[in-house]
Amino acid sequence: MSSPGLLFTTLVLLTTITAVAGSLGAPLVPGIARDFDVSLTAAQWSLTLTMLAGAVATPVIGRLSGGRARMRAVVLGLGGATLGGLLCALPLGFGAFLAGRTLQGLGYGLTPVAIAIAREAIPRHRRAGAIATLSVTTVAAAGLGYPVAAVMADLWGIRVAFGVATALCAATLVLALLTLPPSPDTEGTRVDWWGTVLLAGGTTAILIALAEVSVLPIGRVALLATVGIAACAAWVWWSRRVAHPLVDVTLAGRPVPLLTHVTSMLLGVGVYLLFPLVVIVVQDPTWGMGYGATVAGLLLVPYALASVVGSRLSQRLMTRVEATRLLPLGSATYLSAFVLLVVAHDTVWQLLLAMAVAGLGSGLTFAGIPGLLVASVPRSETGSAIAFTMVVRYLGFSVGSALAVTALTFGGEGGEAGFVRALLVACAVGVLTVVLTTWLSLRVRGGVGRW
């Protein structure tokens, strides 16, 4: 068996490299629109579809990894990310590119698998810090990978950026096969394929309605939204009655899990409202700053670094205050970043400051969630609880990605006015996040008997 240090390194790479590959669309969206001669809204689907695939893949891969099929689940996630990157790197057209971006989203499903392995194999004295680190890698790694991908895209084109990501995913797959512990010698839980279809279909319909609200006739938008909501409701109904649901929605409704899931969902919306807006204002040549993808990528570095700092700070604060207090604190910090952008967004340093504040809030919040879940659910339910919070986080990413461009271009207005309008929408989401996390955390601290 590998040493704990080497095992932890592999788990970090497992979540980091797939997050970098999956999030490549954010700084490259304007370039994708130019290279494929499509609208900004269409290009944004290269990010939205990846996050949606991650939301659906997470519980499926989590179920597959519950027993002897664990290594096959890892191969599925990393293999899908590798194949998807290859489709993006080859000149096969926009349809193949979107298919590749969807496949890259399978890699996001490996985060709960990595956390479950860490809980089993990492020594107890290092376990809490390892789990917290793995929880923030999906956000921190994206920020650190953005500038590298952006520089490559500016110098050699977006296909080279995706080609390098493909090579990294393939190398990580080899390392995982060599170092991860053997799969448990138990039967895994069967996958709820009907639940998968309902969840994927419902969320896709809602996202299309949200992303295309300014393009499609209002009747069609209403129909898509209705179908999506009905499918999601049917998924909840089905999940409460099937023997082995995709995720345990009953467990998700308990006080502490509910707090973490609501926070993950709403803060996820905020994260991918922020990223596309900053990238667009930096690169737009008419009303924005007119810089290239390299500058846009560099702007996301302070976000990634501050999220790591926030994660470490979260671990220190949890020794002095209740962990439930950190979620409203982190959400309020993230909201302040949007307020800063509304007030001042004309220079690069103003954007850098806002991104650093947002990263700090993100790290404070996301790092505290796994510990709360692990402490509040039985060991046998850890995988299901973590998988669900990752599902809602990725769904939040998807909604934020679709909402950002919709708010920016609504009514065909766009420009500076559209940018400010999108920021105000983001502020509204931030206020809702702070209010709900504060209320739910107070209810948790007041005792579960009050629910």
Side-chain angles (χ1 to χ4, degrees):
M1 182 176 176
S2 304
S3 67
L6 179 58
L7 173 61
F8 179 63
T9 300
T10 301
L11 294 178
V12 169
L13 287 175
L14 196 69
T15 56
T16 300
I17 297 303
T18 51
V20 169
S23 60
L24 279 179
L28 306 182
V29 165
I32 291 169
R34 289 192 302 270
D35 284 11
F36 288 100
D37 192 26
V38 297
S39 68
L40 191 64
T41 302
Q44 188 68 17
W45 279 105
S46 66
L47 182 62
T48 304
L49 283 174
T50 309
M51 299 305 167
L52 177 60
V56 176
T58 295
V60 173
I61 291 178
R63 289 299 184 190
L64 291 175
S65 66
R68 300 189 187 102
R70 174 187 286 170
M71 190 54 66
R72 277 179 281 175
V74 172
V75 171
L76 173 63
L78 279 171
T82 303
L83 176 60
L86 186 62
L87 288 176
C88 293
L90 295 174
L92 300 175
F94 190 57
F97 183 82
L98 290 181
R101 291 292 294 150
T102 303
L103 284 172
Q104 284 187 310
L106 297 180
Y108 280 118
L110 294 175
T111 299
V113 178
I115 291 175
I117 293 174
R119 182 172 184 177
E120 293 175 5
I122 297 294
R124 182 180 297 274
H125 68 282
R126 298 177 56 185
R127 191 174 300 158
I131 290 174
T133 299
L134 292 171
S135 180
V136 299
T137 52
T138 54
V139 178
L144 291 174
Y146 282 162
V148 178
V151 169
M152 289 189 292
D154 269 350
L155 293 177
W156 303 297
I158 62 173
R159 299 192 187 282
V160 172
F162 283 103
V164 172
T166 301
L168 290 174
C169 286
T172 304
L173 175 57
V174 173
L175 184 63
L177 291 172
L178 294 175
T179 61
L180 291 185
S183 302
D185 190 21
T186 58
E187 289 291 338
T189 305
R190 289 179 294 177
V191 176
D192 175 19
W193 293 113
W194 282 112
T196 303
V197 171
L198 287 171
L199 177 62
T203 51
T204 300
I206 292 172
L207 287 172
I208 292 175
L210 183 62
E212 305 294 336
V213 67
S214 60
V215 177
L216 295 176
I218 188 62
R220 190 172 300 178
V221 170
L223 177 61
L224 282 169
T226 301
V227 170
I229 293 171
C232 289
W235 171 69
V236 173
W237 177 87
W238 172 263
S239 298
R240 289 179 178 275
R241 287 158 178 78
V242 71
H244 302 288
L246 196 61
V247 293
D248 189 340
V249 294
T250 302
L251 176 66
R254 295 176 185 173
V256 174
L258 181 62
L259 167 63
T260 61
H261 300 329
V262 169
T263 306
S264 292
M265 174 70 177
L266 291 177
L267 194 63
V269 175
V271 168
Y272 274 88
L273 268 170
L274 177 68
F275 283 9
L277 291 178
V278 170
V279 167
I280 290 169
V281 73
V282 168
Q283 295 188 63
D284 193 278
T286 55
W287 59 272
M289 298 180 185
Y291 293 111
T294 299
V295 175
L298 289 172
L299 280 173
L300 300 176
V301 173
Y303 183 98
L305 296 178
S307 67
V308 175
V309 172
S311 171
R312 298 301 182 187
L313 181 60
S314 173
Q315 295 301 300
R316 290 182 178 274
L317 289 175
M318 277 193 287
T319 63
R320 297 177 174 86
V321 300
E322 292 183 59
T324 53
R325 298 181 187 273
L326 296 181
L327 303 192
L329 175 62
S331 301
T333 304
Y334 207 97
L335 169 60
S336 66
F338 285 126
V339 175
L340 285 173
L341 283 175
V342 172
V343 174
H345 52 262
D346 299 320
T347 63
V348 170
W349 75 263
Q350 292 168 339
L351 299 182
L352 287 170
L353 175 61
M355 293 299 285
V357 172
L360 183 64
S362 174
L364 277 171
T365 308
F366 284 138
I369 286 175
L372 279 171
L373 281 175
V374 169
S376 66
V377 301
R379 178 180 291 269
S380 60
E381 301 293 341
T382 300
S384 176
I386 292 177
F388 191 81
T389 203
M390 297 306 296
V391 168
V392 295
R393 183 189 300 188
Y394 295 144
L395 287 176
F397 288 169
S398 303
V399 172
S401 173
L403 186 59
V405 176
T406 297
L408 180 68
T409 61
F410 187 77
E413 186 177 355
E416 174 76 7
F419 180 72
V420 173
R421 178 177 58 239
L423 286 177
L424 292 175
V425 170
C427 286
V429 172
V431 169
L432 179 62
T433 307
V434 173
V435 170
L436 286 181
T437 53
T438 301
W439 178 68
L440 289 171
S441 63
L442 287 173
R443 297 297 298 269
V444 169
R445 293 199 296 273
V448 297
R450 296 173 58 188
W451 285 78

